[in-house]
Amino acid sequence: MPLEHDHSAAAIAARLARGPRISYLRDWIYGGIDGAITTFAIVAGSVGASLSARIVLILGVANLIADGFSMAAANYSGTKAEHDDYRRLKAMEERHIDKVPDGEREEIRQIFRGKGYDGAELEQMTELITSRRAVWVETMLAEEHGVSGGLRDPLRAALATFSAFVLCGAVPLVPFLAGLEASATAAVVATGAVFFAIGSAKSIWSTQGWLRSGTETLAIGLGAAALAWAIGFFLERLLT
């Protein structure tokens, strides 16, 4: 099996010089799945309530823009909060190193003792890390607080979520826009294909097989749609 990248000295130097690659995969997958599910749920609920194709399109497009923007804004705010929290924790560690350096060294010592270092080796490791302030702070952030400087850009994260939401969420509306006679059936088939495709693509970045991942996402999406259809179906009969 081929390795993911070259391990020659030159290739390693070039890769490290570029820095860590920031992934927006989860933003895209989150937006895509939620967009397809929520829009399809509106379509299913509207069909269950026997609403016209015109009403389905109005409700679907309104949800597509409003909910997509809402998700993007929430993701932007949440990602920005991660940046704020990182800066807060970094400033705190900087302050603690200035005020109680011996206590911070003891934290490093205990962290690496927990990793199996002991005796002279442990003291050398502690001395080595605490001799470089930036490394000291980064180690404390990663080991004590579980955060790193490889943070996603809030605007890019928001754009990834919004674009995926709109692209995938528009699929259930296409059959109604095209005026197909079997619009509901076509919407089920088209959206089911989107669910399965998203799940299958997700498997590229996970240890789960593409068939299982695609089927799992398909089941989640269709389950949400079935619930929405049932609510629309019974409410329409209850209120008429």
XYZ file of all heavy atoms in Angstrom, residues 29-129:
766
model
N -19.409 18.922 5.224
C -20.281 17.758 5.453
C -21.463 18.149 6.334
O -22.611 17.767 6.066
C -19.482 16.609 6.090
C -18.503 16.021 5.068
C -20.420 15.510 6.610
C -17.623 14.931 5.607
N -21.189 18.909 7.379
C -22.258 19.351 8.280
C -23.301 20.162 7.523
O -24.511 19.939 7.651
C -21.635 20.175 9.413
C -22.612 20.697 10.429
C -23.567 19.865 11.010
C -22.581 22.031 10.826
C -24.469 20.348 11.947
C -23.469 22.525 11.767
C -24.412 21.669 12.320
O -25.298 22.157 13.244
N -22.836 21.114 6.705
C -23.762 21.936 5.932
C -24.510 21.129 4.892
O -25.715 21.326 4.695
N -23.817 20.213 4.209
C -24.457 19.418 3.173
C -25.539 18.505 3.707
O -26.652 18.440 3.164
N -25.224 17.795 4.773
C -26.208 16.872 5.356
C -27.394 17.648 5.919
O -28.552 17.297 5.680
C -25.556 16.005 6.454
C -24.572 15.009 5.820
C -26.618 15.249 7.249
C -23.837 14.154 6.819
N -27.122 18.723 6.651
C -28.213 19.481 7.257
C -29.070 20.157 6.196
O -30.301 20.214 6.321
C -27.655 20.524 8.219
C -28.725 21.084 9.137
O -29.135 20.361 10.060
O -29.159 22.218 8.916
N -28.429 20.668 5.132
C -29.189 21.295 4.061
C -30.122 20.313 3.380
O -31.300 20.609 3.142
N -29.614 19.135 3.061
C -30.447 18.123 2.403
C -31.561 17.645 3.328
O -32.710 17.479 2.896
C -29.579 16.947 1.962
N -31.242 17.436 4.598
C -32.244 16.927 5.540
C -33.348 17.947 5.784
O -34.541 17.626 5.699
C -31.585 16.536 6.880
C -30.795 15.231 6.721
C -32.644 16.354 7.973
C -30.079 14.795 7.972
N -32.976 19.199 6.086
C -34.006 20.180 6.444
C -34.896 20.531 5.255
O -36.117 20.646 5.407
C -33.371 21.462 7.013
O -32.418 21.979 6.082
C -32.695 21.187 8.330
N -34.291 20.698 4.074
C -35.115 21.020 2.907
C -35.997 19.846 2.522
O -37.177 20.014 2.183
C -34.228 21.430 1.719
O -33.325 22.452 2.138
C -35.079 21.949 0.571
N -35.439 18.643 2.573
C -36.223 17.461 2.249
C -37.334 17.256 3.281
O -38.439 16.806 2.947
C -35.304 16.238 2.185
C -35.981 15.006 1.643
C -36.926 15.093 0.637
C -35.673 13.763 2.142
C -37.539 13.960 0.128
C -36.278 12.620 1.648
C -37.220 12.723 0.630
N -37.042 17.595 4.541
C -38.067 17.467 5.573
C -39.226 18.417 5.292
O -40.397 18.067 5.489
C -37.464 17.761 6.944
N -38.914 19.630 4.810
C -39.971 20.578 4.452
C -40.771 20.042 3.269
O -42.013 20.111 3.245
C -39.358 21.951 4.119
C -38.909 22.642 5.409
C -40.356 22.828 3.364
C -38.227 23.963 5.195
N -40.075 19.492 2.273
C -40.756 18.909 1.122
C -41.657 17.755 1.562
O -42.830 17.670 1.176
C -39.733 18.412 0.078
C -40.415 17.571 -0.999
C -39.004 19.588 -0.550
N -41.120 16.881 2.398
C -41.897 15.725 2.854
C -43.089 16.156 3.686
O -44.195 15.615 3.536
C -40.995 14.789 3.669
N -42.886 17.128 4.574
C -43.994 17.617 5.386
C -45.065 18.285 4.542
O -46.269 18.117 4.791
N -44.643 19.039 3.519
C -45.591 19.717 2.646
C -46.381 18.715 1.806
O -47.592 18.864 1.609
C -44.850 20.696 1.732
O -44.145 21.662 2.496
N -45.686 17.699 1.311
C -46.365 16.659 0.538
C -47.330 15.896 1.431
O -48.457 15.566 1.036
C -45.339 15.706 -0.105
C -46.032 14.483 -0.711
C -44.536 16.444 -1.174
N -46.892 15.615 2.671
C -47.774 14.924 3.609
C -49.025 15.722 3.912
O -50.101 15.155 4.153
N -48.905 17.054 3.866
C -50.051 17.932 4.108
C -50.811 18.262 2.826
O -51.719 19.093 2.840
C -49.584 19.215 4.773
N -50.412 17.647 1.712
C -51.070 17.829 0.406
C -51.012 19.272 -0.081
O -51.975 19.782 -0.669
C -52.538 17.358 0.480
O -52.607 16.003 0.865
N -49.891 19.947 0.166
C -49.734 21.307 -0.324
C -49.317 21.290 -1.786
O -48.765 20.303 -2.282
C -48.677 22.056 0.510
C -48.974 22.177 2.009
C -47.846 22.937 2.693
C -50.318 22.861 2.260
N -49.554 22.401 -2.491
C -49.230 22.473 -3.907
C -47.727 22.580 -4.126
O -46.970 22.940 -3.222
C -49.919 23.692 -4.539
O -49.363 24.894 -4.015
N -47.306 22.289 -5.367
C -45.885 22.378 -5.707
C -45.377 23.806 -5.527
O -44.227 24.022 -5.134
C -45.669 21.915 -7.140
N -46.243 24.803 -5.804
C -45.856 26.211 -5.639
C -45.523 26.511 -4.179
O -44.527 27.174 -3.874
C -46.994 27.106 -6.128
C -46.709 28.601 -6.009
C -47.797 29.390 -6.716
N -47.634 30.821 -6.492
C -48.165 31.487 -5.467
N -48.907 30.827 -4.579
N -47.965 32.776 -5.328
N -46.349 26.036 -3.267
C -46.104 26.249 -1.845
C -44.837 25.524 -1.408
O -44.046 26.046 -0.611
C -47.305 25.780 -1.009
C -48.552 26.583 -1.369
C -47.010 25.903 0.485
C -48.419 28.065 -1.127
N -44.637 24.310 -1.914
C -43.431 23.548 -1.582
C -42.193 24.331 -1.976
O -41.218 24.429 -1.202
C -43.441 22.175 -2.281
C -42.095 21.470 -2.100
C -44.553 21.302 -1.737
N -42.205 24.929 -3.172
C -41.057 25.700 -3.646
C -40.831 26.944 -2.799
O -39.696 27.271 -2.452
C -41.261 26.091 -5.113
C -40.986 24.997 -6.145
C -41.403 25.463 -7.531
C -39.514 24.610 -6.142
N -41.917 27.648 -2.457
C -41.782 28.862 -1.645
C -41.174 28.530 -0.282
O -40.225 29.174 0.179
C -43.155 29.549 -1.475
C -43.624 30.117 -2.817
C -43.073 30.658 -0.423
C -45.042 30.664 -2.793
N -41.731 27.512 0.379
C -41.221 27.121 1.695
C -39.789 26.602 1.596
O -38.945 26.908 2.448
C -42.128 26.049 2.301
C -43.550 26.476 2.680
C -44.349 25.279 3.169
C -43.518 27.566 3.743
N -39.528 25.816 0.556
C -38.199 25.219 0.406
C -37.115 26.246 0.162
O -36.051 26.214 0.792
N -37.370 27.180 -0.750
C -36.369 28.211 -1.067
C -36.162 29.149 0.125
O -35.027 29.530 0.437
C -36.791 29.005 -2.315
C -35.852 30.189 -2.538
C -36.775 28.103 -3.546
N -37.249 29.515 0.794
C -37.128 30.370 1.974
C -36.262 29.698 3.037
O -35.387 30.330 3.652
C -38.523 30.682 2.533
N -36.503 28.410 3.253
C -35.688 27.668 4.225
C -34.245 27.574 3.764
O -33.321 27.712 4.571
C -36.255 26.263 4.401
C -35.305 25.360 5.174
O -35.221 25.402 6.385
N -34.558 24.520 4.447
N -34.069 27.362 2.466
C -32.721 27.177 1.918
C -31.842 28.393 2.197
O -30.696 28.255 2.642
C -32.832 26.935 0.409
C -31.649 26.267 -0.285
C -31.418 24.885 0.269
C -31.922 26.198 -1.787
N -32.376 29.584 1.974
C -31.594 30.803 2.164
C -31.487 31.172 3.639
O -30.389 31.413 4.158
C -32.218 31.966 1.379
C -32.341 31.611 -0.113
C -31.387 33.228 1.567
C -31.020 31.221 -0.761
N -32.632 31.180 4.325
C -32.632 31.628 5.722
C -31.878 30.664 6.627
O -31.031 31.081 7.435
C -34.078 31.790 6.206
N -32.174 29.377 6.513
C -31.522 28.407 7.393
C -30.051 28.251 7.025
O -29.198 28.061 7.901
C -32.238 27.058 7.296
C -31.988 26.193 8.523
O -31.492 26.724 9.529
O -32.286 24.987 8.476
N -29.738 28.330 5.729
C -28.338 28.253 5.308
C -27.526 29.399 5.873
O -26.408 29.208 6.364
N -28.096 30.612 5.807
C -27.406 31.782 6.373
C -27.272 31.653 7.879
O -26.233 31.993 8.454
C -28.168 33.054 6.021
C -27.526 34.299 6.554
C -26.462 34.884 5.883
C -27.961 34.881 7.737
C -25.850 36.035 6.385
C -27.360 36.015 8.249
C -26.301 36.595 7.566
N -28.343 31.164 8.518
C -28.309 30.997 9.972
C -27.213 30.022 10.390
O -26.470 30.279 11.341
C -29.668 30.492 10.458
O -29.625 30.213 11.842
N -27.112 28.901 9.671
C -26.067 27.922 9.991
C -24.680 28.495 9.767
O -23.759 28.273 10.561
C -26.252 26.664 9.147
C -27.292 25.700 9.655
S -27.124 24.104 8.855
C -25.495 23.624 9.405
N -24.519 29.223 8.660
C -23.217 29.816 8.359
C -22.824 30.837 9.425
O -21.673 30.882 9.873
C -23.246 30.467 6.976
N -23.806 31.666 9.838
C -23.532 32.667 10.867
C -23.170 32.005 12.192
O -22.262 32.454 12.903
C -24.751 33.578 11.040
N -23.892 30.937 12.526
C -23.600 30.229 13.773
C -22.216 29.589 13.721
O -21.468 29.611 14.718
C -24.664 29.160 14.020
N -21.866 29.030 12.563
C -20.545 28.419 12.428
C -19.449 29.475 12.505
O -18.398 29.254 13.112
C -20.457 27.656 11.099
C -19.284 26.709 11.053
O -18.639 26.424 12.065
N -18.975 26.199 9.876
N -19.703 30.641 11.894
C -18.737 31.739 11.965
C -18.509 32.156 13.425
O -17.373 32.292 13.886
C -19.239 32.933 11.154
C -18.374 34.163 11.262
C -17.287 34.332 10.408
C -18.625 35.142 12.222
C -16.470 35.454 10.516
C -17.820 36.258 12.334
C -16.746 36.413 11.478
O -15.933 37.516 11.587
N -19.605 32.341 14.151
C -19.499 32.762 15.549
C -18.822 31.704 16.409
O -17.993 32.021 17.269
C -20.898 33.074 16.106
O -21.495 34.139 15.413
N -19.186 30.443 16.169
C -18.584 29.363 16.945
C -17.093 29.220 16.682
O -16.296 29.018 17.610
N -16.707 29.324 15.405
C -15.285 29.219 15.056
C -14.504 30.405 15.593
O -13.369 30.265 16.061
C -15.118 29.128 13.527
O -15.933 28.072 13.020
C -13.663 28.844 13.162
N -15.102 31.582 15.526
C -14.453 32.777 16.081
C -14.281 32.637 17.590
O -13.263 33.072 18.158
C -15.283 34.021 15.757
C -14.587 35.338 16.075
C -15.397 36.507 15.551
C -14.682 37.825 15.849
N -14.558 38.077 17.292
N -15.261 32.021 18.251
C -15.153 31.794 19.691
C -13.987 30.871 20.021
O -13.340 31.023 21.070
C -16.455 31.207 20.225
N -13.704 29.910 19.131
C -12.551 29.025 19.330
C -11.257 29.830 19.301
O -10.339 29.571 20.087
C -12.525 27.941 18.256
C -13.652 26.919 18.371
C -13.591 25.884 17.273
O -12.719 25.997 16.374
O -14.417 24.951 17.291
N -11.174 30.797 18.382
C -9.996 31.676 18.322
C -9.866 32.487 19.609
O -8.766 32.614 20.164
C -10.109 32.623 17.125
C -9.819 31.984 15.804
N -8.648 32.205 15.107
C -10.542 31.121 15.062
C -8.667 31.514 13.982
N -9.806 30.844 13.937
N -10.978 33.024 20.057
C -10.958 33.824 21.293
C -10.527 32.976 22.487
O -9.747 33.431 23.339
C -12.343 34.421 21.561
C -12.747 35.446 20.508
O -11.846 35.980 19.837
O -13.961 35.685 20.353
N -11.046 31.752 22.552
C -10.705 30.876 23.661
C -9.228 30.491 23.613
O -8.556 30.430 24.650
C -11.568 29.609 23.617
C -11.418 28.756 24.865
O -11.497 29.304 25.975
O -11.206 27.524 24.734
N -8.698 30.253 22.396
C -7.277 29.927 22.249
C -6.410 31.085 22.753
O -5.444 30.877 23.494
C -6.962 29.624 20.790
C -5.490 29.384 20.525
C -4.908 28.148 20.784
C -4.679 30.405 20.028
C -3.557 27.933 20.558
C -3.331 30.201 19.801
C -2.772 28.956 20.062
O -1.436 28.751 19.848
N -6.763 32.307 22.359
C -5.988 33.472 22.803
C -6.075 33.648 24.318
O -5.090 34.014 24.970
C -6.474 34.734 22.084
C -6.056 34.817 20.632
C -6.326 36.194 20.064
N -7.750 36.446 19.912
C -8.441 36.194 18.807
N -7.829 35.668 17.754
N -9.727 36.473 18.748
N -7.263 33.389 24.884
C -7.434 33.497 26.335
C -6.549 32.493 27.072
O -5.858 32.840 28.043
C -8.901 33.259 26.700
C -9.192 33.305 28.197
C -10.628 32.926 28.491
N -10.899 31.530 28.158
C -10.622 30.496 28.969
N -10.043 30.712 30.150
N -10.911 29.268 28.608
N -6.561 31.247 26.609
C -5.769 30.204 27.269
C -4.272 30.454 27.100
O -3.487 30.229 28.030
C -6.139 28.840 26.686
C -7.553 28.336 27.008
C -7.872 27.075 26.220
C -7.700 28.073 28.507
N -3.892 30.948 25.915
C -2.474 31.239 25.685
C -2.003 32.354 26.606
O -0.909 32.267 27.203
C -2.252 31.629 24.220
C -0.788 31.871 23.882
C -0.608 32.173 22.399
C 0.862 32.379 22.083
N 1.071 32.695 20.638
N -2.807 33.405 26.729
C -2.447 34.517 27.625
C -2.370 34.032 29.070
O -1.495 34.460 29.845
C -3.474 35.640 27.497
N -3.265 33.124 29.456
C -3.253 32.588 30.812
C -1.972 31.806 31.076
O -1.325 31.980 32.122
C -4.466 31.678 31.023
C -4.572 31.093 32.424
S -5.934 29.898 32.567
C -5.240 28.507 31.657
N -1.573 30.970 30.136
C -0.349 30.180 30.321
C 0.887 31.077 30.345
O 1.816 30.840 31.115
C -0.231 29.126 29.213
C -1.227 27.982 29.329
C -1.083 27.207 30.627
O 0.035 27.161 31.190
O -2.087 26.661 31.102
N 0.882 32.093 29.486
C 2.001 33.057 29.502
C 2.097 33.713 30.880
O 3.197 33.866 31.429
C 1.764 34.130 28.426
C 1.807 33.637 26.993
C 3.206 33.681 26.411
O 4.167 33.919 27.180
O 3.340 33.451 25.197
N 0.953 34.091 31.428
C 0.929 34.752 32.737
C 1.383 33.801 33.844
O 2.148 34.191 34.735
C -0.490 35.261 33.020
C -0.596 36.110 34.280
C -1.959 36.755 34.414
N -3.032 35.777 34.636
C -3.907 35.399 33.723
N -3.851 35.914 32.491
N -4.845 34.512 34.000
N 0.952 32.552 33.774
C 1.348 31.585 34.798
C 2.843 31.282 34.746
O 3.475 31.099 35.788
C 0.553 30.293 34.605
C -0.891 30.427 34.992
N -1.756 29.363 35.003
C -1.617 31.507 35.376
C -2.957 29.771 35.372
N -2.891 31.080 35.605
N 3.390 31.235 33.534
C 4.832 30.993 33.408
C 5.616 32.151 34.025
O 6.662 31.954 34.662
C 5.213 30.787 31.926
C 4.692 29.421 31.443
C 6.724 30.884 31.727
C 4.875 29.184 29.957
N 5.098 33.370 33.845
C 5.763 34.539 34.435
C 5.635 34.546 35.958
O 6.591 34.878 36.673
C 5.152 35.836 33.870
C 5.529 36.068 32.424
O 6.594 35.572 32.009
O 4.756 36.745 31.714
N 4.474 34.183 36.470
C 4.196 34.288 37.905
C 4.704 33.084 38.705
O 5.270 33.245 39.796
C 2.686 34.435 38.126
C 2.066 35.676 37.504
C 2.489 36.947 38.213
C 1.753 38.145 37.662
N 2.157 39.413 38.320
N 4.442 31.864 38.171
C 4.825 30.650 38.919
C 5.547 29.665 37.981
O 5.030 28.590 37.664
C 3.586 29.980 39.563
C 3.162 30.695 40.815
C 2.420 29.893 38.575
N 6.744 30.019 37.538
C 7.467 29.151 36.591
C 7.742 27.754 37.143
O 7.695 26.764 36.396
C 8.766 29.921 36.321
C 8.918 30.854 37.487
C 7.522 31.222 37.874
N 8.027 27.664 38.452
C 8.310 26.349 39.028
C 7.068 25.450 38.981
O 7.160 24.247 38.715
C 8.789 26.492 40.472
C 10.181 27.116 40.565
O 10.903 27.076 39.543
O 10.530 27.639 41.638
N 5.914 26.044 39.236
C 4.676 25.272 39.160
C 4.381 24.817 37.748
O 3.921 23.686 37.524
N 4.663 25.654 36.764
C 4.441 25.285 35.365
C 5.436 24.206 34.916
O 5.081 23.325 34.127
C 4.566 26.520 34.474
C 3.427 27.515 34.620
C 2.097 26.935 34.140
O 2.026 26.425 33.013
O 1.122 26.998 34.918
N 6.659 24.266 35.439
C 7.624 23.205 35.136
C 7.155 21.871 35.718
O 7.320 20.821 35.098
C 9.001 23.567 35.701
C 9.724 24.651 34.948
C 11.188 24.779 35.393
N 11.838 25.882 34.713
C 11.869 27.133 35.173
N 11.285 27.420 36.340
N 12.464 28.084 34.477
N 6.578 21.951 36.912
C 6.068 20.724 37.529
C 4.920 20.147 36.711
O 4.778 18.919 36.611
C 5.607 21.017 38.963
C 5.049 19.813 39.711
C 6.042 18.670 39.832
O 7.274 18.912 39.785
O 5.588 17.512 39.982
N 4.116 21.002 36.113
C 3.036 20.515 35.252
C 3.613 19.768 34.051
O 3.124 18.700 33.677
C 2.154 21.682 34.793
C 1.277 22.246 35.900
C 0.326 23.314 35.387
O 0.266 23.532 34.152
O -0.368 23.928 36.218
N 4.644 20.343 33.436
C 5.308 19.672 32.308
C 5.883 18.329 32.766
O 5.744 17.301 32.084
C 6.435 20.558 31.729
C 5.844 21.781 31.019
C 7.315 19.767 30.778
C 5.110 21.466 29.733
N 6.505 18.341 33.937
C 7.109 17.118 34.473
C 6.044 16.020 34.647
O 6.245 14.863 34.265
C 7.804 17.436 35.799
C 8.571 16.248 36.406
C 9.311 16.674 37.671
N 10.413 17.574 37.391
C 10.424 18.880 37.686
N 9.365 19.437 38.286
N 11.463 19.627 37.396
N 4.924 16.384 35.225
C 3.883 15.395 35.470
C 3.201 14.932 34.181
O 2.802 13.771 34.060
C 2.840 15.956 36.449
C 3.400 16.158 37.849
C 2.319 16.403 38.883
O 1.174 16.011 38.697
N 2.695 17.058 39.984
N 3.092 15.840 33.224
C 2.520 15.466 31.934
C 3.353 14.366 31.279
O 2.825 13.356 30.801
C 2.418 16.699 31.007
C 1.272 17.601 31.465
C 2.210 16.267 29.555
C 1.235 18.948 30.771
N 4.666 14.549 31.271
C 5.521 13.578 30.593
C 5.800 12.354 31.458
O 6.124 11.293 30.926
C 6.812 14.259 30.115
C 6.586 15.069 28.877
C 6.231 16.407 28.962
C 6.674 14.479 27.624
C 5.981 17.146 27.821
C 6.438 15.211 26.477
C 6.084 16.545 26.562
N 5.643 12.495 32.757
C 5.688 11.297 33.597
C 4.504 10.390 33.239
O 4.632 9.168 33.203
C 5.649 11.673 35.074
C 5.715 10.431 35.995
C 5.698 10.814 37.466
N 6.922 11.482 37.871
C 6.992 12.700 38.388
N 5.866 13.414 38.546
N 8.144 13.230 38.738
N 3.385 10.999 32.987
C 2.205 10.233 32.577
C 2.375 9.568 31.231
O 1.651 8.621 30.902
N 3.311 10.037 30.421
C 3.592 9.433 29.123
C 4.654 8.342 29.204
O 5.040 7.781 28.175
C 4.026 10.517 28.122
C 2.928 11.518 27.791
C 3.444 12.568 26.836
C 2.362 13.593 26.512
N 1.233 12.999 25.761
N 5.160 8.082 30.429
C 6.103 6.991 30.606
C 7.545 7.393 30.830
O 8.406 6.535 31.015
N 7.845 8.704 30.818
C 9.209 9.152 31.080
C 9.467 9.138 32.588
O 8.562 9.370 33.390
C 9.431 10.559 30.527
C 9.423 10.628 29.024
C 8.245 10.921 28.330
C 10.574 10.390 28.290
C 8.237 10.981 26.947
C 10.569 10.446 26.902
C 9.390 10.743 26.240
O 9.367 10.786 24.875
N 10.733 8.899 32.955
C 11.063 8.832 34.380
C 12.539 9.146 34.576
O 13.339 9.111 33.636
C 10.740 7.432 34.918
C 10.615 7.416 36.443
O 10.668 8.501 37.045
O 10.485 6.321 37.011
N 12.894 9.468 35.827
C 14.292 9.666 36.200
C 14.960 10.795 35.439
O 14.369 11.850 35.176
N 16.214 10.550 35.056
C 17.007 11.567 34.366
C 16.399 11.934 33.020
O 16.441 13.096 32.598
C 18.445 11.059 34.171
N 15.819 10.947 32.360
C 15.195 11.200 31.063
C 14.037 12.188 31.200
O 13.880 13.089 30.366
C 14.699 9.872 30.480
C 14.195 9.974 29.051
C 13.739 8.635 28.518
O 13.069 7.891 29.274
O 14.043 8.322 27.356
N 13.259 12.032 32.267
C 12.144 12.931 32.516
C 12.634 14.343 32.802
O 12.069 15.323 32.284
C 11.304 12.424 33.698
C 10.162 13.334 34.159
C 9.144 13.522 33.054
C 9.498 12.747 35.411
N 13.709 14.465 33.594
C 14.238 15.786 33.915
C 14.815 16.463 32.680
O 14.676 17.673 32.488
C 15.310 15.669 35.006
C 14.764 15.215 36.358
C 13.619 16.089 36.840
O 13.733 17.340 36.736
O 12.601 15.542 37.310
N 15.460 15.680 31.819
C 15.998 16.237 30.571
C 14.864 16.734 29.663
O 14.964 17.800 29.052
C 16.831 15.189 29.843
C 18.138 14.858 30.541
C 18.861 13.693 29.881
O 18.368 13.114 28.913
N 20.019 13.334 30.418
N 13.796 15.941 29.590
C 12.650 16.333 28.775
C 12.026 17.618 29.312
O 11.706 18.532 28.553
C 11.615 15.203 28.768
C 10.368 15.500 27.950
S 10.693 15.628 26.178
C 11.061 13.910 25.799
N 11.869 17.698 30.626
C 11.288 18.890 31.243
C 12.152 20.117 30.992
O 11.643 21.185 30.630
C 11.128 18.673 32.762
O 10.302 17.535 33.001
C 10.520 19.895 33.426
N 13.457 19.957 31.155
C 14.377 21.064 30.948
C 14.382 21.507 29.487
O 14.419 22.710 29.182
C 15.785 20.644 31.369
C 16.839 21.734 31.221
C 16.559 22.951 32.101
O 15.929 22.790 33.164
O 16.970 24.062 31.713
N 14.335 20.548 28.585
C 14.373 20.851 27.154
C 13.136 21.650 26.744
O 13.241 22.670 26.049
C 14.443 19.544 26.360
C 14.568 19.670 24.838
C 15.890 20.342 24.470
C 14.458 18.310 24.177
N 11.966 21.221 27.169
C 10.727 21.894 26.771
C 10.622 23.278 27.388
O 10.255 24.250 26.715
C 9.504 21.037 27.158
C 9.465 19.785 26.283
C 8.202 21.831 27.019
C 8.402 18.793 26.666
